[in-house]
Amino acid sequence: MPSSEKIKELQEISRQLRMDVLQMLHKAKSGHTGGPLGMMEMMVALYFYKMHHDPKNPLWEDRDRFILANGHTAPALYACLAHAGYFPKSEFQNLRQLGSPLQGHPKRKPEWGIEMSTGSLGQGLSIANGLALAARLDKRSTRIYSMHSDGEAQEGMLWEGAMSAGFRKLDNRCCLLDFNNVQIDGFNKDIKDVSPLDEKFRAFGWQVFTIDGNNMEEVVSALDEAEKVKGKPTMIIAKTLIGKGVSIFENKPAYHGVTPSDAELELALEELNRITPS
Amino acid sequence: MTDYIATRDAYGKALAKLGEGDSRVVVLDADLSGSTKTGIFAKKFPERFFNMGVAEQDLIGTAAGFALAGKIPFASSFAMFAVGRAWEIVRNSVAYPHLNVKICASHAGLTVGEDGASHQIIEDLALTRVMPGMTVLVPADATETEQMVKAAAAHEGPVYIRLGRSKVPQLFDSSYQFKIGKANVIREGKDILLIACGIMVAPTLEAARTLETQGIAATVVNCASIKPLDADTIIPLAKKIGTVLTLEEHSIIGGLGSAICELLGEFPGIAVHRHGVNDEWGQSAPAEVLLKHYKLMPEDIVERVKKVRGQT
Ligand SMILES: Cc1ncc(C[n+]2csc(CCOP(=O)(O)OP(=O)(O)O)c2C)c(N)n1
């Protein structure tokens, strides 16, 4: 477990990156707001605590890899990558604009840390498994992380990949699943309940941790624990609040896929500015 | 005596040979390794073979992950499932990120036979050809298959190779040269240009020989590289001869014939006719019966050529 100073630092990065996300989405006037805000602690813990990667040497062969399966939350990834130094934050201006590497959904550009094109839900788990199998074949000690969402768990292909990772005992695989209960048309439990996810993954041969995904200490310790698991892939089911950090967006399906208006942005930034890590 | 070898058999052998020379080669299958012949590789290199079970989306997605890690994955299943079931995965996780995945799918076309229309993909060339950056190849015999597998491995980027179930005659010896993006003129004649691919090359040659005896001289082109198409070879020939007939064991919508129409459509004075499966489904029957029923036999080609010449 890292020191409380480190936790505070990670919380502070999360706060800043939430503001970055809101600003880039506001500028783009299109994109998904709720998801990226809700999963920020996990993204920050991966990029600034857990993963071995080097923005100065982005193609370093022994880097850990991250696949953002729920690609519509791309702004959270872009915020982390720019903050880490893969590309300048001025690029945020061009999100979703013609010719910009910051496409609406990730488009592969490993030199910028964008490992894979994603956006069509359900495909990332298998892709990350392929990376993990290759790492095993090459006897590399790298770890392969992927992020998923609860809506994504309605895709059949996710379960094909889950079955493969369990069957092949991919203990270099760690998935995080942003369980915010919300998808586009409303609450997940009203559309097609994916619960109980822990039992489902366990039945497929996974080690499962269930945590509060907005609690940095819990996120960090789950990532540490996952590394100790042998003979199984790990699934971290993270209960989160969609829109976390901005009261008007929190737990509101309506804000899944809309961007903040001028007034909302002002309010949101003010609110995020008021937060000081406890 | 002509040898008869199925292109899938040639694929299995070529793959095993490839595995010897290049440790980056990994092979994935979806519970059909006996049929796709990847089992030959599996036996030789068990640690580099991955049976994904009956899960074609996972098959393609995992192959994409292998490619991200610098491997050269060959993903195999029946064509129906590899590019039919998993089409959107091929598009978004292989073609769009332009990954080095080779999809070598067997049992394409009507010649799957008795399994019927659910297994007979006559749309795969249309489905793969439409993706930017995707290379689409159809071998005519075992020699070409072997060279194609080698060329695919050496090529950086996604490749689709369409393989068949039935045995086909050996057309080419080791002097034959397959190249991605190259069409091969395998017979010359001034009266009609026949452009064929895959299992239609042999009956087209046979038809050309029959036509010769009846005073019609045909040029026959084996167009194994559907994408990229060999414009440098095809355009001048089509301009010179004027009448073109395409031949494929695929729907006439979206396959080789369509590709040739797209290529030649800008030139005045060239008529392109398409021979293949018309806009209908396949059905259960032995392969030979189907080929007869859907008019893909040498005698059908002879008849079609005469009809086409009467029209132009
Ligand atoms: C295969 C596929 N189908 C549909 C969509 C459109 N889509 C984008 S986000 C989304 C909702 C998914 O909910 P979830 O992944 O839980 O997102 P969150 O609310 O957590 O942001 C849908 C249906 C898609 N991107 N991919």
Side-chain angles (χ1 to χ4, degrees), chain A residues 221-235:
Chain A
S221 95
L223 288 171
D224 285 346
E225 287 305 309
E227 230 160 0
K228 297 179 193 151
V229 176
K230 293 287 165 250
K232 292 175 177 190
T234 304
M235 170 58 70

Side-chain angles (χ1 to χ4, degrees), chain A residues 65 67 103 106-108 115-117 120 123 126-127 129-131 133-134 137-138 157 160-161 164 168, chain B residues 26 47-48 50-52 55-58 61-62 64-66 68-69 71 88-89 92-93 96-97 99:
Chain A
R65 307 274 194 129
I67 303 290
Q103 292 283 295
K107 178 175 183 191
R108 184 167 125 80
E115 296 278 8
M116 184 54 177
S117 312
S120 177
Q123 301 184 23
S126 299
I127 294 163
N129 289 347
L131 278 162
L133 286 165
L137 205 54
D138 293 343
M157 184 181 171
E160 291 183 10
S164 289
R168 295 188 179 274
Chain B
V26 295
E47 71 291 347
R48 281 193 272 147
F50 301 88
N51 199 327
M52 304 312 294
E56 295 77 16
Q57 304 177 74
D58 194 29
T62 307
F66 270 115
L68 283 178
K71 301 289 175 198
E88 198 250 5
I89 327 301
N92 278 324
S93 292
Y96 175 45
L99 294 180

